[in-house]
Amino acid sequence: MTWSFSIGRLFGSELRVHATFFLLLLWVGLVAWADGGFPAAVENILFVGALFACVVAHEFGHALTARRYGIRTPDVTLLPIGGLARLEAMPEKPGQEILVALAGPAVNVVIWAALVLILGAETWAASLENLADPEASFLARLAAVNLFIAVFNLLPAFPMDGGRVLRAALSAVTDRVQATRIAAYAGQALAFGLGLLGLVGGNPVLLLIAFFVFIAAGAESNDVAMRDLARRMQARDAMITTFDSLSPEDTVGAAGKALIRTTQGEFPVLDAEGRLLGVLTRNAIFQESAEGHATRRVTEVMQTDIPAVSLATGLETVFDAMHRQNAPAVAVVREGGYLIGYVTRENLGELMVLNGRRGR
């Protein structure tokens, strides 16, 4: 994920923190400092740290349960509004999906029970209202937030875990695409309600959560629809075959001119015989140009870990490879590694739209 960086590995997954998370810590510390001085700022920053440790535990609940079904989790990213475990896929068997979805909230329930039953924390609704009050019990606030996270995530709407449970249940009576669409509509309706509450109550955090829920629900629906389409097609059906390529000797400046001249967002870098060396993206061209590196060779800034498939490879395999390696494109090659085309997220989306319209 852009603007995130690694802080280590845990249970085989990379643990990443988004840069905006530190803005949250800064904001929490400054607000507490203004109200209660340095001790209050330290207390609230420690509380946010403890809270996000619980969020990490929640995400690893999903990740470790998914691992039982052979699904890896390349990374877990901490964001200001929570965590994101990037599973390579979700189990498509309803029972397995339900278990993976419920594992996260179950971790928060276990943490809540441990804080209440073992450490004696008292959980009241008022604990949620006094999260920023350093006079309130640290453990009571932490217990209340864990219970809230569990309950909120069980709402039957995407992208919450309850939405995945709803989809799995609906999959028993309808196809997965339609089940996902219903759960996504529920998520967007929930986002609308949260946004309305945020506007009426003047709560910017609710507005942020509403925006995230709305976008994530739509993205999940599109992802499943694309996978359903991909099962029926091959790489040859989606690949781009007319494109401009770059040579290893080309500079970022030359790539910038090609960017203006064409409509491409990705440029394959080929050797003299037509074998793929890597892909230079639009974002890399922009970044290098902005930093005054127009004379750098494209080989210094291109992305080299590009998945390669054959013409007859199923499009679902292409989609999985792109997602698993977070690659800007998947190369379609013939024997010997010679590039004959490539597939991007953008043209996969275009293919889905065109085939969807044709189906109607």
Side-chain angles (χ1 to χ4, degrees):
M1 180 179 288
T2 307
W3 290 92
S4 66
F5 56 91
S6 175
I7 59 172
R9 297 189 68 84
L10 186 62
F11 299 117
S13 299
E14 187 177 29
L15 186 58
R16 304 183 67 84
V17 177
H18 199 268
T20 52
F21 175 75
F22 295 101
L23 294 178
L24 173 66
L25 288 180
L26 178 62
W27 178 74
V28 167
L30 289 176
V31 170
W33 187 299
D35 291 339
F38 181 74
V42 171
E43 170 101 7
N44 277 9
I45 289 175
L46 288 176
F47 177 77
V48 172
L51 169 59
F52 275 87
C54 297
V55 170
V56 169
H58 173 109
E59 297 302 332
F60 274 98
H62 295 309
L64 296 178
T65 306
R67 186 180 296 178
R68 294 182 55 194
Y69 305 116
I71 298 172
R72 293 177 58 252
T73 305
D75 54 65
V76 173
T77 303
L78 279 179
L79 301 161
I81 55 175
L84 177 64
R86 188 168 63 89
L87 275 64
E88 288 184 344
M90 281 297 292
E92 296 200 1
K93 293 182 179 179
Q96 293 180 358
E97 181 172 22
I98 288 174
L99 287 176
V100 172
L102 292 179
V107 169
N108 293 111
V109 171
V110 169
I111 293 172
W112 168 80
L115 290 170
V116 172
L117 300 178
I118 299 176
L119 300 180
E122 296 183 358
T123 305
W124 307 99
S127 299
L128 285 174
E129 299 174 3
N130 299 320
L131 290 181
D133 183 3
E135 298 299 323
S137 167
F138 187 100
L139 294 181
R141 288 184 288 157
L142 193 60
V145 170
N146 272 279
L147 191 58
F148 172 79
I149 290 173
V151 172
F152 183 76
N153 272 281
L154 288 175
L155 292 175
F158 268 131
M160 273 69 73
D161 300 323
R164 302 191 183 280
V165 174
L166 174 62
R167 180 191 38 206
L170 290 173
S171 295
V173 295
T174 186
D175 63 86
R176 187 174 176 83
V177 176
Q178 182 63 18
T180 303
R181 189 173 292 120
I182 293 171
Y185 286 155
Q188 291 179 330
L190 174 65
F192 181 80
L194 291 175
L196 187 60
L197 285 175
L199 285 173
V200 172
N203 189 327
V205 175
L206 268 183
L207 289 172
L208 181 63
I209 293 174
F211 176 77
F212 169 77
V213 168
F214 188 90
I215 296 299
E220 181 74 25
S221 183
N222 290 338
D223 179 79
V224 171
M226 187 179 293
R227 285 182 179 276
D228 182 67
L229 171 65
R231 290 188 180 93
R232 307 191 298 270
M233 308 185 83
Q234 297 178 335
R236 68 173 77 243
D237 299 313
M239 70 176 183
I240 297 169
T241 56
T242 303
F243 54 86
D244 281 13
S245 62
L246 300 171
S247 70
E249 293 75 26
D250 283 330
T251 63
V252 171
K257 292 178 181 177
L259 183 65
I260 298 299
R261 187 178 65 251
T262 69
T263 59
Q264 290 175 226
E266 300 82 13
F267 290 88
V269 181
L270 309 179
D271 65 15
E273 296 181 350
R275 287 186 289 260
L276 182 70
L277 301 176
V279 169
L280 185 66
T281 65
R282 175 192 285 115
N283 287 341
I285 296 172
F286 285 158
Q287 181 175 341
E288 294 299 320
S289 298
E291 295 175 358
H293 299 156
T295 58
R296 293 186 72 181
R297 300 292 185 188
V298 295
T299 50
E300 299 179 57
V301 295
M302 68 183 184
Q303 190 167 331
T304 56
D305 53 341
I306 305 300
V309 299
S310 67
L311 278 169
T313 301
L315 200 54
E316 186 177 18
T317 301
V318 174
F319 188 87
D320 286 337
M322 188 179 297
H323 177 75
R324 183 169 53 251
Q325 296 182 221
N326 198 26
V330 172
V332 183
V333 300
R334 66 175 188 268
E335 189 175 353
Y338 298 97
L339 185 72
I340 53 179
Y342 62 94
V343 182
T344 68
R345 286 182 174 84
E346 184 178 5
N347 72 296
L348 277 176
E350 291 169 349
L351 183 68
M352 184 183 71
V353 171
L354 290 173
N355 278 267
R357 288 176 177 172
R358 188 177 303 164
R360 289 193 292 270

